[in-house]
Amino acid sequence: MARHIAGTRTPPEEAMQQHDDDLATAQRDHWQHTYTAHPGMYGSEPSEPARHAAAVFRAAGARDVLELGAGHGRDALFFACEGFTVHATDFSPTGLEQLRTTAGEMDVDHSMSTVVHDVREPLPLPDHSFDAVFAHMLLCMALSTVEIHAAVTEIRRVLRPGGTLVYTVRHTGDTHYGTGVAHGDDIHEHGGFAVHFFPRRLVDELADGWDLTEVHPFEEGELPRRLWRITQTLPR
């Protein structure tokens, strides 16, 4: 009789992990190519979720903001212009290079720092080092449910007591949900971009131990994409 030894993976688990790793690598390569081929692809105007987040962060007295998945930086630059000190991460060196160049041109580079980081890995940042975290459509990329939970655990670690997280995700009411190339775990791929479409229960799970302030539905883009904007705060 075959036995499962604690701390080891069964062949199906190994295959699943290899699939996740291969998908993550393909997505990094795809985004790197996309930012190289289309510099500033999202334009210079901040997203509406970033405008909302800035108002929420300001009302909470936040000063130090971490943006995860900043890309070429339209929202990170907006936060800096609004007077926040910003630390921006992304797994695309090209996107962050474009961000740093624009920050210099806008004379906000003194308020900006960047680091190349894959959200699947622990954040290279100290505990309790930020007042607020912003992530626009990062958590709904090609991440497994386990990886999403781990990422939010890391966000909680680097936030100070009373700190605020604002994030957005595409959800299972989106037009693309259930179509395209299925990768399992509610992940579907269209045009080379893989998305983890959130069911509402996942939002509630990620808010466990937080004060969940808002789950706001909105639309964005030409399809349009259907998203939730979630605001949640750590207890003091």
Side-chain angles (χ1 to χ4, degrees):
M1 179 182 294
R3 292 185 301 164
H4 178 75
I5 302 173
T8 65
R9 289 194 178 100
T10 64
E13 289 172 332
E14 290 176 351
M16 183 178 297
Q17 184 61 54
Q18 186 62 53
H19 174 270
D20 291 347
D21 291 344
D22 291 345
L23 181 60
T25 298
Q27 287 297 291
R28 279 195 298 268
D29 292 345
H30 187 72
W31 278 101
Q32 181 76 348
H33 171 76
T34 299
Y35 283 129
T36 300
H38 306 285
M41 60 183 290
Y42 293 113
S44 59
E45 289 297 309
S47 67
E48 285 306 312
R51 294 184 187 276
H52 164 82
V56 170
F57 297 163
R58 188 177 299 107
R63 294 169 298 173
D64 303 314
V65 174
L66 169 64
E67 182 181 359
L68 302 175
H72 64 78
R74 61 171 179 158
D75 291 337
L77 293 164
F78 168 71
F79 291 137
C81 289
E82 289 292 299
F84 298 101
T85 299
V86 184
H87 187 69
T89 74
D90 200 274
F91 65 11
S92 169
T94 299
L96 292 181
E97 182 181 354
Q98 293 170 10
L99 188 163
R100 288 190 296 271
T101 297
T102 307
E105 294 170 351
M106 296 174 63
D107 196 27
V108 293
D109 49 327
H110 58 283
S111 299
M112 182 80 62
S113 59
T114 65
V115 65
V116 176
H117 174 256
D118 186 335
V119 74
R120 286 160 41 106
E121 302 295 331
L123 286 163
L125 299 165
D127 295 355
H128 314 309
S129 49
F130 292 93
D131 301 312
V133 175
F134 178 73
H136 184 27
M137 288 205 295
L138 174 73
L139 295 179
C140 64
M141 294 185 69
L143 303 171
S144 70
T145 299
V146 170
E147 289 166 343
I148 292 167
H149 275 276
V152 173
T153 297
E154 278 294 283
I155 290 170
R156 181 171 189 145
R157 179 182 66 79
V158 301
L159 272 174
R160 296 174 180 130
T164 302
L165 166 63
V166 175
Y167 72 95
T168 66
V169 291
R170 293 173 75 175
H171 58 70
T172 52
D174 188 277
T175 302
H176 276 166
Y177 176 62
T179 66
V181 179
H183 291 282
D185 202 8
D186 285 327
I187 299 172
H188 298 269
E189 182 178 343
H190 295 266
F193 295 99
V195 175
H196 189 136
F197 293 90
F198 271 46
R200 175 56 197 259
R201 69 176 180 278
L202 181 53
V203 173
D204 293 335
E205 290 170 3
L206 296 175
D208 185 35
W210 301 65
D211 295 325
L212 181 59
T213 305
E214 178 188 55
V215 181
H216 173 71
F218 71 104
E219 297 183 347
E220 183 179 84
E222 296 179 358
L223 291 177
R225 293 184 293 266
R226 293 173 182 164
L227 302 98
W228 284 320
R229 185 188 71 211
I230 297 100
T231 304
Q232 56 191 60
T233 303
L234 283 178
R236 292 188 180 276

